Amino acid sequence: VAALGHIFPQGHYPFPRQALFERWTIELGDPAVHVYVTTDEAGLVNGFAASRGIELLHFGTAVNTWGTGLARQVHDALVDAMARTSPSGAEYLRLRVFAENRRARRFYENLGWHSTGKRTETTFEPHPVLIEYLRPLGPSS
């Protein structure tokens, strides 16, 4: 909600927690999905990601870590892991991000991701738009 409250106004279109829980349950049960978690010194989860093949499905860090560099560290490790496990011949990694999530878009763009211009509408009300991004395979920039 802290990151996406402007996309899912809580008074009208609350963040779709249940639908995302159901989706994640299916994805976590899929052997093709790789899940990554980082924890702090106390063992609390402070970052997560999930990927399938060349696609980054989910990525986030705890709000209290924003601005600390953790997201970049997790991103770089994730990109390296995805590059090692990507299908032979793959040239790019792929992700989709909410068009109105300007913070995330700046983050990805600063790390070498480029918008393809391809847009899709989500199934969650109010049906925000996702923009596709690609990143050449290789070491993090």
Side-chain angles (χ1 to χ4, degrees):
V1 173
L4 303 176
H6 65 289
I7 297 170
F8 295 98
Q10 297 306 287
H12 301 297
Y13 301 103
F15 193 74
R17 292 178 196 269
Q18 185 60 36
L20 289 176
F21 175 80
E22 292 167 6
R23 179 182 288 176
W24 277 55
T25 299
I26 292 168
E27 289 175 349
L28 292 174
D30 181 345
V33 173
H34 296 246
V35 177
Y36 308 88
V37 176
T38 183
T39 59
D40 63 17
E41 300 80 27
L44 299 173
V45 173
N46 61 5
F48 66 91
S51 65
R52 179 176 40 231
I54 62 167
E55 184 172 15
L56 176 57
L57 302 171
H58 307 287
F59 182 87
T61 59
V63 174
N64 67 338
T65 69
W66 290 1
T68 66
L70 177 67
R72 183 183 179 114
Q73 291 174 343
V74 173
H75 169 273
D76 292 352
L78 175 65
V79 166
D80 292 344
M82 289 176 70
R84 285 191 307 274
T85 61
S86 65
S88 177
E91 296 182 28
Y92 294 92
L93 299 178
R94 176 183 180 266
L95 65 80
R96 294 181 303 157
V97 64
F98 289 112
E100 295 302 317
N101 191 347
R102 290 179 182 86
R103 186 173 193 275
R105 291 178 61 195
R106 278 191 312 271
F107 172 78
Y108 291 123
E109 289 166 4
N110 286 334
L111 294 174
W113 295 83
H114 302 280
S115 172
T116 66
K118 183 177 178 183
R119 296 172 173 260
T120 56
E121 191 175 271
T122 66
T123 58
F124 306 119
E125 291 187 345
H127 306 290
V129 171
L130 294 166
I131 298 176
E132 180 184 64
Y133 276 74
L134 297 180
R135 184 182 194 285
L137 275 172
S140 300
S141 51

